[in-house]
Amino acid sequence: MSDQPARTRPAPREGGASRPAASRRLLLVHAHPDDESINNGVTMAKYAAEGARVTLVTCTRGEEGEVIPPDLAHLAPDRDDTLGEYRVGELAAAMAALGVTDHRFLGGPGRYRDSGMMGAPQNERPDAFWQAPLDEAAGHLVAVIREVRPQVLVTYDPDGGYGHPDHIQAHRVAMRGAELAARADFRPELGGAHTIGKIYWNCNPRSEVEEGFARLRAAGHGFPGIAAVDDVPGVVPDSEVTASLTGEPAHTAAKTAAMRAHHTQIAVDGPFFALSNDLGQPLFGTEHYRLVHGSPGAADGAREDDLFAGWDDMAGMRESARFEEAAE
Ligand SMILES: [Zn+2]
């Protein structure tokens, strides 16, 4: 892609108890190709550039998405039904833009099909991700967790951010996968038990989303309409946010390029974008999280600016013991 930024690989951070970047391992679990770039593009680009191992697991190929470019309308499920294969290529291009080399589909590409929006007849298809038995789907993730052995997991909140069945199911699979991966008695053939130290859910603080929409209105955008604040997934009161990552301009540029790579799903216009509903929304260069498992690496009340903050071997051992107790 011509607008892909050049990336340099800065030296790992020094000092303190923080691990060298090369031993940091971040796992993200998402429902469809494009969710990772919209939610976590800056985070993924930043950690990949620092030398951390970034692993993306996408649960479906997004076969039921609506296609924006008219010349690709034939890919749609009610015509050729080849959107899933096409989006595998879009995801690969997005990962190249973010500098992420380890991306996989849960159980392999096409193992689970996009379930469509909540209430759609596609929810009932036997191959829909929404119909997948939880421990079977989580078992595929356990294999990845035990192989990669991430310290940090990022996924959605229990509502999947906005109630899409595949996002809800991705949340369930991520949380159950983390629990089962830590249990030595669960399918030992998948590898040695591994406890993830910190688990985060994606979120967006309301004040920042409101400011983003104010910028969009003031900018004289070219979208037919503007989305509402509550159309943005995972909007929460500011006080619930525990970690905020602001990328360097190169990381925001990489996120923007990754979103452009998902061109059947996203129309990017400068610092704004629209999904297939044509409603403009802000493209955020700061990404936010809620820590839901593990110890915060910032003082009480302060937000972390690093998802690995406070993570060291001692904390890891303490957390392992606590998580195993909680799982029993
Ligand atoms: Zn999605």
Side-chain angles (χ1 to χ4, degrees):
M1 295 177 65
S2 58
D3 54 351
Q4 184 177 334
R7 273 183 306 278
T8 54
R9 183 167 283 221
R13 287 170 193 224
E14 291 176 8
S18 63
R19 294 174 162 227
S23 65
R24 293 177 157 200
R25 297 178 300 275
L26 170 65
L27 173 66
L28 303 101
V29 176
H30 277 291
H32 311 110
D34 79 358
D35 293 315
E36 78 298 323
S37 298
I38 297 170
N39 286 281
N40 309 112
V42 163
T43 303
M44 294 172 76
K46 173 186 182 304
Y47 285 117
E50 288 176 1
R53 177 167 182 179
V54 178
T55 299
L56 170 67
V57 173
T58 307
C59 296
T60 78
R61 296 183 300 179
E63 292 90 342
E64 296 291 334
E66 286 180 39
V67 178
I68 295 176
D71 60 319
L72 293 173
H74 64 92
L75 300 173
D78 57 349
R79 293 180 62 186
D80 299 349
D81 196 16
T82 50
L83 182 57
E85 289 92 322
Y86 193 87
R87 292 183 71 178
V88 171
E90 291 185 332
L91 181 62
M95 292 305 96
L98 297 178
V100 170
T101 54
D102 186 10
H103 52 100
R104 317 161 182 219
F105 286 90
L106 187 71
R111 174 68 183 79
Y112 298 109
R113 185 176 166 105
D114 187 332
S115 310
M117 299 301 273
M118 189 62 90
Q122 291 88 336
N123 296 178
E124 308 301 327
R125 283 179 60 131
D127 56 350
F129 186 43
W130 187 235
Q131 298 295 333
L134 181 57
D135 281 7
E136 176 207 285
H140 295 301
L141 188 63
V142 168
V144 177
I145 292 170
R146 290 183 178 170
E147 175 203 328
V148 174
R149 312 189 83 74
Q151 297 99 348
V152 177
L153 167 67
V154 168
T155 191
Y156 312 111
D157 64 31
D159 183 46
Y162 70 109
H164 190 296
D166 292 329
H167 287 238
I168 294 171
Q169 185 81 320
H171 160 85
R172 292 175 179 163
V173 166
M175 300 305 287
R176 182 69 172 153
E179 180 192 339
L180 293 176
R183 276 179 30 188
D185 63 340
F186 178 79
R187 299 186 58 186
E189 77 278 11
L190 296 178
H194 175 72
T195 299
I196 295 172
K198 299 174 87 176
I199 302 178
Y200 291 92
W201 294 344
N202 288 306
C203 65
N204 284 293
R206 180 166 292 274
S207 71
E208 206 155 304
V209 175
E210 286 171 350
E211 282 165 28
F213 279 106
R215 271 201 311 280
L216 172 54
R217 274 186 220 96
H221 60 89
F223 299 104
I226 296 183
V229 166
D230 288 311
D231 291 336
V232 174
V235 173
V236 298
D238 292 22
S239 58
E240 291 186 18
V241 176
T242 68
S244 298
L245 267 72
T246 301
E248 294 166 18
H251 304 142
T252 305
K255 173 177 183 168
T256 305
M259 288 174 63
R260 282 187 197 280
H262 292 290
H263 66 287
T264 62
Q265 305 298 307
I266 305 174
V268 177
D269 181 5
F272 308 112
F273 72 98
L275 302 173
S276 61
N277 61 12
D278 265 354
L279 301 177
Q281 49 180 303
L283 190 164
F284 294 111
T286 299
E287 294 168 348
H288 304 276
Y289 300 91
R290 276 190 285 173
L291 180 68
V292 296
H293 165 75
S295 302
D300 276 357
R303 285 186 195 172
E304 296 175 306
D305 61 0
D306 176 6
L307 301 185
F308 294 86
W311 181 256
D312 58 39
D313 288 324
M314 287 307 294
M317 279 156 37
R318 285 196 302 274
E319 276 314 316
S320 298
R322 215 175 295 157
F323 194 67
E324 273 148 26
E325 272 167 31
E328 274 165 13

